[in-house]
Structures are given as C-alpha cells and as structure tokens.
Amino acid sequence: VGTGRGALEGVLIKNAESLEIMEKVDTLVIDKTGTLTEGKPKLVSVTINSDHSQKLDEAQVLGWIAGLEKYSEHPLATAIMQGAKDKNIATIAVSDFESVTGMGVTGNIAGQSLAFGNLKLMQQQGISEHQSAKDFFDQADALRTEGQTVMLFAVDGEPAALIGVADPIKASTTDAIAQLHKQGITVVMLTGDNATTAHAVAAKLDIDRVEADVLPEQKAKIVKELQAAGKIVAMAGDGINDAPALAQAQVGIAMGTGTDVAMESAGVTLVKGDLRGIVKAIILSRATMKNIRQNLFFAFIYNALGVPVAAGVLYPFFGILLSPMIAAAAMSFSSVSVIVNALRLKKQKLS
C-alpha cells in the first residue's frame, strides 16, 4: 500500500499488515541519531587535558583523532573529519587501526597508542583508572547537559581530550512528539549516548522514557522486553544497526534518508524522514480499520435480513416472498454502501 500525494504524501506503507497493526500500536521506540535529529552532527568543542604528560595542543589532538576516524563511516566521525578540515588541520596516518563495536576506535601513531570513544572503551583499555582520569572525564557532564555528545580521547593510557559533537534536532520533531502523545502513544528514545546527554535531549522533546548507553545489539532486546510487557511496539530508525530492532517490532518504520538495509527491514518508510508521517500513518490505520468494521456490518446486516426473507421464512405467516428484483437491488445497494463508505477515507484528516 503506497501513497504519493495528498495528506499522506511522503509515507510509504509496504503492506496491508503494517497498516492494520499500526492501529494497535501503543509504544513507539525511536533511535536518536538521524531519526529525532538531522543525523548531521557538527564538532562544537575540544577540551584538552592540561595535566597530560605530553602537553598536547588542539591541532595535534584533532589531527590524531581525524586519522583514527578516517576509516569510520559513523556520522560522528564525519563531523570530526569535517571539523578538522574546517580548521585546516592535516589528518595524521594511523597504524593498527581497530574498531570496537559500540565503544570506539583504537590505533597507533609513531609508537603512541590512541583510544577514542566512550567511557566503556576507556574502562576496557584501563584508562579510566588513571589518576587524572576521573576529574577530567567528569568535565564531560557539563557539556552533556547542553545536549552535546562527548567522546573521550586518550594517548598512551592517559586521558588527553574531550571532543563535543552536537546533532541538531529536526525542526519537525517537537511537533511530531506532541502529536504522538495526543494519539496516546508512549515514546521511548534509544541512544548510544551517555545518559546525561540523552536526558537533556529527551527533556527538550518531552520524551516519556530514555534508554541510554545502548549498544547496537541491545536495541532489538529492548524491543523484545517491551513486547513481553504486553506493548504493541513500532520502531523507528535509519541505520544498519537499527535493522534487527526494526524487524523485531510489530511495525518497523525506516527513514527514507537512512540506509537501504533499514528500509528493507521496515514495513513503513518515511520518505522525507519527517516523524509526523508516523502520526499520519497511525490516524490512517485507525480510520481504515474502523471503516472496514463498518463495511462488514453493512454487508452482514443486508444478508442477515435479506437471505431469510428470500428463503421464505416469512411466507407461512405473512405470505411474503422477496422478489428477485428487490433482492438484486438490495445486494447492489449493499455493495454501493460499502464503496461509498470506503471512499470517505479520502477526506480523512491526518493531523
């Protein structure tokens, strides 16, 4: 079932089953990056650890980090690469590059070990136990309360810098969340961001529940937990790592601005990536299912009244038989009633 114009423009519904289930959805799980936000983060802050034994500067740090992120396709990596380019900082070649899923990246430059990612990576590398780590890493919370995603950088096992990246919230997101609440939908935000950053974003958008520090493989697990609690779940996401959760949810909703894998895993695609399309799809689903029930009633009542009369149930008592012409007219009127009622959906308001 697809749409290309009118009030539902920009929403593609892949099959009738997805449209039917949308009526029952009571919980919407949304990935943050690229779904609630534009998915185009920008480098906004670089905080150097003045206590590092090498006395590093911003240009050196950004050059190393850009070298690490050169091999990554993550939106945050793109933001850092662009930030370094805007500052005319050359990318430094890195050896022994390794990507640690859900944590960050590591590598070496001129015999120095580098680690760049979240606190979990710092803990894995033993960096969080360094004497100066706690006080310096605690500074990240101040940036996170501003909605920045803060990544940690370490050189030779010492905390070296905090890199703040901000991803603007889509202009349509606030309105979309408000409309979803009006439809009685509980909104759950999933993100790999730190809890402080996640809650800062959620507070701006009035989101009901936040799941932060979520690894890619945990997204489908969270959807399963909600389903086990009796929720009818729709999942909205745009990335490759969202695909398992999109497939697990009763209805998967992909951003048309996202990856092909996500769209293939979903039953609904928002061609323009506008979350208000979800509200339209829910309203359409509820109106369609209500219309179907009305049509079934019309078909049933005509047959329930007409068939017994045509069979002669009333003849022994009243001498009444149903003329074939009247029966044919009644059946035709039944079909016309169903069609006219179905056509009312064209005038359904979707906002």
Side-chain angles (χ1 to χ4, degrees):
V1 180
T3 95
R5 61 181 181 177
L8 204 64
E9 182 178 1
V11 181
L12 175 65
I13 300 174
K14 189 181 295 185
N15 52 58
E17 182 183 8
S18 295
L19 181 63
E20 179 181 354
I21 297 174
M22 285 293 287
E23 177 203 24
K24 303 173 185 177
V25 168
D26 55 24
T27 303
L28 176 64
V29 177
I30 308 181
D31 177 61
K32 181 175 80 70
T33 303
T35 307
L36 292 172
T37 65
E38 293 180 1
K40 298 178 181 178
K42 298 179 181 179
L43 177 66
V44 293
S45 66
V46 179
T47 305
I48 304 298
N49 182 12
S50 59
D51 292 331
H52 195 281
S53 59
Q54 295 188 43
K55 303 302 179 185
L56 304 169
D57 59 39
E58 180 177 319
Q60 187 177 18
V61 164
L62 277 180
W64 283 349
I65 295 174
L68 280 171
E69 295 289 51
K70 180 179 180 180
Y71 303 98
S72 174
E73 295 181 354
H74 195 282
L76 297 181
T78 303
I80 293 169
M81 293 289 292
Q82 185 59 48
K85 183 178 179 181
D86 292 343
K87 295 174 181 288
N88 295 315
I89 296 173
T91 299
I92 300 174
V94 174
S95 61
D96 300 324
F97 172 84
E98 182 180 354
S99 177
V100 185
T101 303
M103 297 186 189
V105 293
T106 60
N108 286 280
I109 290 180
Q112 294 179 301
S113 63
L114 312 179
F116 181 59
N118 57 25
L119 185 59
K120 291 179 181 178
L121 179 67
M122 299 297 114
Q123 292 171 338
Q124 184 197 68
Q125 300 287 318
I127 296 164
S128 63
E129 299 173 5
H130 191 278
Q131 185 176 3
S132 65
K134 186 179 186 303
D135 291 340
F136 182 63
F137 287 163
D138 283 349
Q139 295 179 36
D141 284 337
L143 301 175
R144 290 178 181 128
T145 56
E146 299 173 5
Q148 293 185 34
T149 297
V150 182
M151 290 161 286
L152 316 176
F153 181 56
V155 178
D156 287 338
E158 293 182 57
L162 304 174
I163 307 298
V165 174
D167 188 3
I169 295 170
K170 290 179 181 177
S172 61
T173 296
T174 302
D175 183 43
I177 299 299
Q179 289 189 41
L180 285 164
H181 283 151
K182 286 180 180 179
Q183 295 300 319
I185 306 297
T186 299
V187 182
V188 179
M189 182 179 81
L190 297 186
T191 178
D193 279 345
N194 175 277
T196 304
T197 301
H199 283 286
V201 173
K204 292 180 182 178
L205 297 175
D206 193 25
I207 286 173
D208 302 296
R209 174 178 165 184
V210 176
E211 294 288 345
D213 294 312
V214 176
L215 296 175
E217 60 270 20
Q218 293 177 319
K219 293 181 179 181
K221 181 181 177 182
I222 291 171
V223 172
K224 285 182 181 179
E225 290 173 352
L226 289 168
Q227 291 171 328
K231 305 296 183 182
I232 306 299
V233 182
M235 165 72 189
D238 75 324
I240 292 174
N241 58 20
D242 295 322
L246 290 171
Q248 175 63 40
Q250 276 94 342
V251 180
I253 303 170
M255 301 294 109
T257 51
T259 63
D260 291 341
V261 174
M263 285 185 276
E264 186 63 29
S265 302
V268 177
T269 299
L270 306 182
V271 179
K272 298 179 181 178
D274 189 335
L275 287 176
R276 288 174 295 190
I278 299 176
V279 180
K280 294 177 181 179
I282 289 172
I283 294 174
L284 176 65
S285 174
R286 291 174 177 175
T288 300
M289 297 311 297
K290 180 180 179 181
N291 193 281
I292 288 172
R293 294 184 188 102
Q294 291 170 345
N295 289 343
L296 288 172
F297 172 78
F298 288 144
F300 175 79
I301 200 68
Y302 279 118
N303 284 283
L305 295 175
V307 171
V309 176
V313 170
L314 298 180
Y315 184 76
F317 307 101
F318 305 103
I320 297 175
L321 285 173
L322 190 63
S323 166
M325 292 183 64
I326 296 176
M331 292 303 296
S332 297
F333 190 66
S334 171
S335 298
V336 170
S337 299
V338 168
I339 292 170
V340 171
N341 189 50
L343 289 174
R344 291 191 307 111
L345 286 171
K346 294 179 68 177
K347 297 181 180 180
Q348 175 67 43
K349 293 183 179 180
L350 300 176
S351 61

